[in-house]
Amino acid sequence: MSSSNIFEGADLRTFFRDPYGPYAFARQARVFRNDGVWYAARYEDVDWILKDRRFGKQPPPGSEHRMPEGRPQPAEERNILNTDPPDHTRLRGLVARAFNAHRVAGMRPVVQSLVDGLLDDLAPRGGMDIMRDYAYPIPATVISDMLGIPDADRDRFGHLSNEIIRWGTGIEPGVDAKTRAARSKEAREAFDDYLTALFPAKREAPEDDLTTDLLRAESEEGRLSEQEVTKNVRLLFQAGHETTVNLIGNALVALYRNPAELAKLRADPGLMPTAVEEFLRFDSSVQQLPRVVQERVEVGGQTLEPGEMIICLLGAANHDPDVYEDADDLDLERPFVRSKSFGGGIHFCLGAQLARMETEVALGTLLERLPEMELTNLDDLDYAFNPFFRGPKELLARW
């Protein structure tokens, strides 16, 4: 099955609306290759690859020729997502303290107040696009506050972030790879230019935010370059809102397509923490994670060479029937088995606890405040053609 294609038998629109059938096909092979890239779809293999140091983020010297074309070079994107130790260890250590469990728990009242304020404004309308009007403002506001992004600039930041994701990881039919890369680069440079202009004000008048902390590490500790501050602030903004927006949307789609589970959660709001874990597993907002082979290694009877890329299909692993009983069913009382939606190993998602907390508050409050809410486009959802990020473009509600 080395030449198998997970898109086989389905057009792009059909695939992105429901990739889980093709994922079941993909799990028939331990690993398979498509367009010069390896794929792993089974939970056991994905879990191992994400934790094993023989798989990293950048190609070993001399093996770059085996990498897919168009991948940004390490010097262009020095952030915690794309670096290996020791750089990754240094960068993550500087950022991680902002996302520790105690600090996240202390943010819950702030998130609750934000959610209550949104619903105070939305409830009298009788309808909304949940993605645009509710799911997006919550994490976008929280991460902007954490980073110290001025209020007047947040909409522009959000637009540029969406453009980076659209052109950098998406598939735009009729648009060639060169054009996609150029538009992604243009959005990245605009984002970074703004940050470079913001930094002097942060240095002159330091505030209690993560951007100021990183700049202080640059100037006082000499542990960061300005370029590294820029790339990591951009990454944190993107990661801090995109995945949680989609997690909230995907969770609501799952609930309303499973009325018995929705009724169960309404009857027992105490199920919410366990429910969020099941939402993460059932329809992950992050569907793929890439790794680069660091030394010759065998996976599922196939030999992978240094510099080759392997994509871990998180959505496929999360539906592996060898791990989850009735894996394609939503079960809010499923015995706890953590999904792969936040990755694994040294690159496990820094914002996992924050995303969980935001989703718990957003869903719990919405279901309590709008008990008669219906989703009106549940049978006609549209998804971006993006193999990495998954969430409905619109989620229309009325009450």
Side-chain angles (χ1 to χ4, degrees):
M1 279 184 76
S2 61
S3 62
S4 297
N5 187 335
I6 62 170
F7 297 102
E8 187 175 328
D11 63 30
L12 287 178
R13 187 172 303 278
T14 300
F15 174 82
F16 286 114
R17 281 182 170 178
D18 184 5
Y20 295 100
Y23 285 164
F25 171 74
R27 283 194 303 269
Q28 294 176 27
R30 289 284 301 279
V31 295
F32 62 92
R33 196 169 189 176
N34 183 57
D35 290 337
V37 176
W38 292 98
Y39 289 83
R42 295 184 182 182
Y43 184 100
E44 180 182 6
D45 294 324
V46 167
D47 184 58
W48 166 57
I49 290 166
L50 292 176
K51 294 176 180 177
D52 196 297
R53 294 295 184 92
R54 288 173 293 181
F55 301 90
K57 287 291 189 171
Q58 298 297 335
S63 69
E64 293 87 352
H65 62 284
R66 297 194 180 103
M67 289 286 288
E69 292 184 15
R71 178 177 168 83
Q73 294 303 305
E76 298 176 18
E77 292 297 311
R78 292 182 60 81
N79 60 45
I80 54 177
L81 184 66
N82 290 328
T83 52
D84 294 307
D87 283 338
H88 173 266
T89 307
R90 172 175 57 88
L91 294 172
R92 189 177 176 101
L94 290 167
V95 175
R97 55 179 176 245
F99 294 91
N100 67 62
H102 178 73
R103 187 163 185 173
V104 169
M107 293 169 63
R108 184 179 282 263
V110 176
V111 175
Q112 184 67 63
S113 178
L114 169 63
V115 168
D116 287 336
L118 282 171
L119 287 173
D120 286 345
D121 291 336
L122 290 167
R125 296 187 194 177
M128 64 172 161
D129 173 5
I130 290 174
M131 302 305 289
R132 181 193 64 215
D133 299 329
Y134 187 70
Y136 174 81
I138 297 166
T141 301
V142 170
I143 196 62
S144 293
D145 286 346
M146 291 181 72
L147 292 171
I149 306 300
D151 289 353
D153 301 316
R154 294 179 179 187
D155 286 345
R156 183 164 182 261
F157 257 40
H159 171 72
L160 289 173
S161 176
N162 290 337
E163 287 292 286
I164 294 168
I165 290 169
R166 175 186 177 188
W167 298 111
T169 60
I171 300 170
E172 291 285 335
V175 181
D176 61 79
K178 185 176 180 181
T179 301
R180 292 200 305 268
R183 292 186 180 179
S184 175
K185 183 179 180 182
E186 180 182 342
R188 293 198 310 269
E189 289 178 347
F191 201 113
D192 293 353
D193 287 346
Y194 169 82
L195 287 176
T196 301
L198 175 67
F199 290 164
K202 291 286 185 184
R203 292 190 180 99
E204 186 174 332
E207 298 178 289
D208 183 19
D209 59 56
L210 184 51
T211 301
T212 299
D213 288 347
L214 294 176
L215 288 170
R216 187 177 292 118
E218 175 215 7
S219 60
E220 296 179 5
E221 302 175 39
R223 296 177 64 190
L224 280 174
S225 67
E226 182 169 302
Q227 184 187 56
E228 288 174 328
V229 177
T230 302
K231 305 305 183 186
N232 281 283
V233 170
R234 166 157 52 86
L235 170 69
L236 290 169
F237 185 89
Q238 288 179 249
H241 85 276
E242 179 69 21
T243 54
T244 307
V245 171
N246 288 333
L247 175 56
I248 294 169
N250 291 344
L252 286 167
V253 171
L255 279 174
Y256 276 80
R257 284 179 171 168
N258 293 270
E261 296 301 293
L262 174 59
K264 186 186 299 181
L265 186 57
R266 286 191 187 279
D268 184 6
L271 279 176
M272 186 61 76
T274 304
V276 170
E277 296 301 322
E278 176 68 349
F279 298 141
L280 284 161
R281 182 203 71 82
F282 185 74
D283 200 9
S284 176
S285 54
V286 179
Q287 291 280 303
Q288 301 185 359
L289 286 177
R291 290 293 184 268
V292 181
V293 181
Q294 302 297 296
E295 60 183 75
R296 181 176 290 179
V297 61
E298 184 175 303
V299 185
Q302 302 286 348
T303 300
L304 279 59
E305 299 292 341
E308 291 185 327
M309 179 174 283
I310 184 164
I311 302 288
C312 294
L313 296 174
L314 307 184
N318 287 341
H319 280 241
D320 191 335
D322 289 340
V323 177
Y324 306 103
E325 185 176 353
D326 299 320
D328 292 331
D329 294 343
L330 182 74
D331 180 0
L332 302 190
E333 296 179 293
R334 182 180 297 278
F336 182 74
V337 179
R338 181 158 289 178
S339 70
K340 302 314 300 176
S341 298
F342 288 126
I346 62 171
H347 288 280
F348 184 82
C349 177
L350 271 174
Q353 286 301 105
L354 179 60
R356 288 183 174 108
M357 182 270 285
E358 289 175 320
T359 304
E360 287 179 22
V361 175
L363 292 178
T365 309
L366 183 67
L367 296 178
E368 179 185 359
R369 293 275 302 269
L370 300 177
E372 304 302 319
M373 187 180 78
E374 301 175 349
L375 301 185
T376 60
N377 67 329
L378 198 58
D379 296 326
D380 191 31
L381 296 175
D382 205 7
Y383 292 78
F385 291 0
N386 193 313
F388 287 88
F389 299 104
R390 174 170 170 78
K393 290 182 179 180
E394 290 184 322
L395 193 55
L396 305 180
R398 68 182 179 197
W399 53 92

